[in-house]
Amino acid sequence: MNYATRFLAISLAIQIGGCAYEPKKVEASRPLVNPATSTELQAMPANLQQALNTLPQGAALSTNSTTFTLGQRYVSALGSECIELLFNSDQFHSQRSVACKIAEQWYLIPQLEQASVSNLLADQ
């Protein structure tokens, strides 16, 4: 009985002490992600709107001098239907992007600019 009372008192003291402790506030000195240069969404061309609704993964589309391949479809964290796009401007240059459907229209979503790992390392 004496052991159980001591255990109960110690565990109660630890719980009360843990609730009274406030963790140290930490602020980042460098951003992990840089803000996008433009917050305006660019609508996909009108002739591609229906194709983005119906074509399957792997289908290729062309507009002007750009060809792109449809990638995987998914639902974004905001609940929008999205599809990955692989753009091919010429033989040696390709870029990944995403188009999302917002209010029944497809928009090209700007990419986040990621900071390099060397910029994230703390100064010593």
Side-chain angles (χ1 to χ4, degrees):
M1 190 78 172
N2 194 10
Y3 177 74
T5 305
R6 286 184 198 170
F7 179 74
L8 184 60
I10 290 172
S11 64
L12 182 62
I14 289 173
Q15 288 179 350
I16 291 173
C19 292
Y21 173 74
E22 184 176 341
K24 178 180 163 185
K25 296 200 187 274
V26 178
E27 290 187 26
S29 60
R30 295 182 178 101
L32 182 59
V33 177
N34 296 327
T37 55
S38 173
T39 57
E40 302 225 0
L41 296 178
Q42 177 185 356
M44 295 294 287
N47 62 335
L48 298 181
Q49 292 288 329
Q50 185 60 30
L52 289 171
N53 285 328
T54 58
L55 290 178
Q57 180 177 347
L61 296 171
S62 293
T63 180
N64 299 335
S65 63
T66 304
T67 302
F68 59 92
T69 306
L70 301 181
Q72 183 176 358
R73 293 180 184 269
Y74 63 95
V75 177
S76 73
L78 296 175
S80 300
E81 180 184 352
C82 297
I83 187 166
E84 295 174 328
L85 303 173
L86 178 61
F87 285 87
N88 292 317
S89 298
D90 55 38
Q91 290 179 332
F92 305 105
H93 184 262
S94 64
Q95 175 186 4
R96 289 196 177 276
S97 190
V98 172
C100 290
K101 191 175 188 178
I102 303 168
E104 300 303 316
Q105 189 166 1
W106 289 94
Y107 291 92
L108 191 61
I109 305 299
Q111 295 293 307
L112 293 174
E113 183 183 329
Q114 295 183 348
S116 69
V117 174
S118 61
N119 290 338
L120 299 175
L121 298 175
D123 294 329
Q124 295 180 3

